[in-house]
Amino acid sequence: MNTGGQPQLAFTNPFTNLPQLSKSLAAVLVFLYVSGLLIGKSLTPFLALVPGFTIPPHFYFWNMFTAAYFDTSLLSTLVNAAVVALVGKWLEPLWGSHEFLKFVVCVNAAAGLSTFLLLIVLFAVSRSEALWFDSVWCGFGAAVAGFAVAAKQLLPEHPLRLFGTVSLRAKYLPLTLVGWELATVVLLGLSPKSLPFTIFGVLLSWLYLRYYQVTCRWPITTASCVVCGSLLAASSLIACA
């Protein structure tokens, strides 16, 4: 009973009533991580972008496109799975399952291809065999960046509550994600494995949403702003883990 005259706030579990496609995408991220854990490092060049294995004689060309769904970090995998499930809870009903899937697949695929082309240029300049055969590039950063760009375009002036406390306008979210990842790589020396995916994800998702998708409005609720803002920020914070 409420005896203090103050309104009671009921907690609603955000993981209830998740759309099927969003849950499936989250499950794919977890499944690929667990597969890599069980099979070992021999699976990494099959799923993660290792440029020396993408071209002949190995010719694992598909790793340009699977790298976005594979991760070597448990924390990153779990947070990204939560991101796609909960952001999808609002975007999938708004856009439709087909459009939501097309957005995720197109942004991830384009970012993977762009990252591979960038690595070719870097190798041509540096002639570094470590870059070509030993570096591993993976992570769901492109899609997460795409969700941030979607928030920027659909509700640019709306404040997102990061972790329920810090307020950040949605229009600054993509720049914040990229800036934080750059800072963790440059200043803290953490792995840049998902950095190019995030950068290309911002650019390519903007092009996709600006020129190829019908304009629509995102239903704005307090819960969605708290949950989605917090998860997008969290995904960026642990992207280089």
Side-chain angles (χ1 to χ4, degrees):
M1 181 187 304
N2 182 12
T3 58
Q6 297 295 326
Q8 293 181 322
L9 297 178
F11 174 77
T12 302
N13 184 358
F15 288 96
T16 59
N17 301 319
L18 295 175
Q20 185 59 46
L21 175 60
S22 300
K23 289 191 294 184
S24 298
L25 287 172
V28 167
L29 300 183
V30 175
F31 173 77
L32 291 180
Y33 170 78
V34 173
S35 298
L37 197 64
L38 295 177
I39 298 175
K41 292 185 178 180
S42 61
L43 184 65
T44 299
F46 283 92
L47 297 179
L49 177 53
V50 182
F53 288 83
T54 306
I55 62 173
H58 301 285
F59 204 39
Y60 303 157
F61 62 91
W62 57 82
N63 65 19
M64 289 185 288
F65 309 110
T66 58
Y69 307 95
F70 178 74
D71 209 310
T72 56
S73 165
L74 173 62
L75 182 58
S76 179
T77 298
L78 293 178
V79 172
N80 286 331
V83 167
V84 71
L86 295 179
V87 173
K89 183 175 181 178
W90 284 275
L91 279 183
E92 189 178 336
L94 177 66
W95 288 350
S97 296
H98 179 267
E99 178 57 36
F100 182 72
L101 178 62
K102 186 171 70 170
F103 174 75
V104 171
V105 170
C106 288
V107 170
N108 279 337
L113 177 59
S114 300
T115 299
F116 177 63
L117 295 177
L118 173 63
L119 292 172
I120 291 178
V121 174
L122 293 178
F123 176 72
V125 173
S126 67
R127 312 304 296 181
S128 170
E129 291 191 3
L131 172 67
W132 199 241
F133 292 104
D134 299 331
S135 64
V136 176
W137 307 89
C138 60
F140 203 60
V144 171
F147 297 149
V149 173
K152 174 183 182 297
Q153 292 197 0
L154 297 172
L155 38 91
E157 298 298 330
H158 196 82
L160 298 173
R161 291 289 178 180
L162 308 184
F163 311 108
T165 56
V166 181
S167 179
L168 176 72
R169 294 193 183 277
K171 64 183 179 182
Y172 300 124
L173 189 54
L175 182 61
T176 301
L177 295 180
V178 173
W180 175 260
E181 284 205 41
L182 281 171
T184 58
V185 171
V186 175
L187 301 179
L188 302 181
L190 298 184
S191 170
K193 63 183 173 65
S194 67
L195 179 59
F197 291 94
T198 300
I199 295 175
F200 284 122
V202 169
L203 298 173
L204 296 167
S205 62
W206 180 84
L207 290 172
Y208 181 95
L209 293 171
R210 177 67 177 82
Y211 295 106
Y212 295 103
Q213 190 180 66
V214 177
T215 303
C216 54
R217 297 183 63 186
W218 196 354
I220 300 173
T221 67
T222 301
S224 65
C225 290
V226 171
V227 172
C228 295
S230 297
L231 282 171
L232 288 171
S235 181
S236 178
L237 293 177
I238 53 82
C240 299

